[in-house]
Amino acid sequence: MDFDAALSARIRALRKARGFTLDQLAELSGVSRSMISLIERQETSPTAAVLNKLADALSVSLPTLLAPYAPSPAPQPIARQADQPVWTDPGSGYVRRQLSPAGWPSPIELVELRFPAGQRVSFDNPTRSIAIHQQLWLLEGVMAITAGDQHWQLEAGDCLAMTLGDRVVFHNPGKQDARYLLALSTSAPQPTPATRSTS
């Protein structure tokens, strides 16, 4: 099964496992029913921004969504380089390599990314169903990261820790590709002060 086929199968499997119809997933994600149907039938290549909305609605992280869909009764604790799935965003051309072993029970996911010069990707998460904690270690090049009203300019060797919120923008303002490592963990979102119990 090629990567696009595996991705389509994974989205469909996650949707069905949660008991969502196409209409329900469309309402939860903000992605149109027709787009989801096209993705599941492998008739279009979704961008990272679209996949992020689907991942949020399905209560998984984007790396988990992009992990290979190959159910195994015995996941292995090692992911050989030749077996690590690679995905290219059709919108920006950025390349993600899933480093973590597929299916292995771990609270941490590792992803390597190569981000083309001059490109920008925005992730909008108005109703994130899970909290994603992320650390970005820049290995090569420069990156500009905006999270909400905060902005950071990163150079090689810098490491940024953040919790993904309403809107995150990744931008490579440099003249060469940037390469970085992402370490992610997920948890249930914390209640806002207005929704915390007072009892």
Side-chain angles (χ1 to χ4, degrees), residues 105-190:
S106 171
I108 301 169
E109 295 176 271
L110 295 179
V111 183
E112 180 189 34
L113 294 101
R114 185 169 293 276
F115 209 100
Q119 292 297 317
R120 180 188 307 263
V121 173
S122 299
F123 296 107
D124 296 307
N125 305 299
T127 55
R128 178 160 289 285
S129 59
I130 55 174
I132 298 183
H133 310 279
Q134 176 174 283
Q135 294 195 25
L136 185 160
W137 181 29
L138 189 60
L139 303 173
E140 300 173 9
V142 296
M143 286 294 293
I145 311 295
T146 301
D149 58 359
Q150 295 183 297
H151 179 79
W152 300 275
Q153 186 82 16
L154 305 181
E155 298 181 354
D158 293 345
C159 185
L160 172 65
M162 61 181 171
T163 300
L164 300 188
D166 287 346
R167 187 168 190 263
V168 180
V169 179
F170 294 82
H171 175 223
N172 179 354
K175 297 182 178 179
Q176 66 180 43
D177 287 0
R179 186 170 68 91
Y180 54 93
L181 177 73
L182 281 181
L184 305 101
S185 67
T186 59
S187 64
Q190 295 298 312

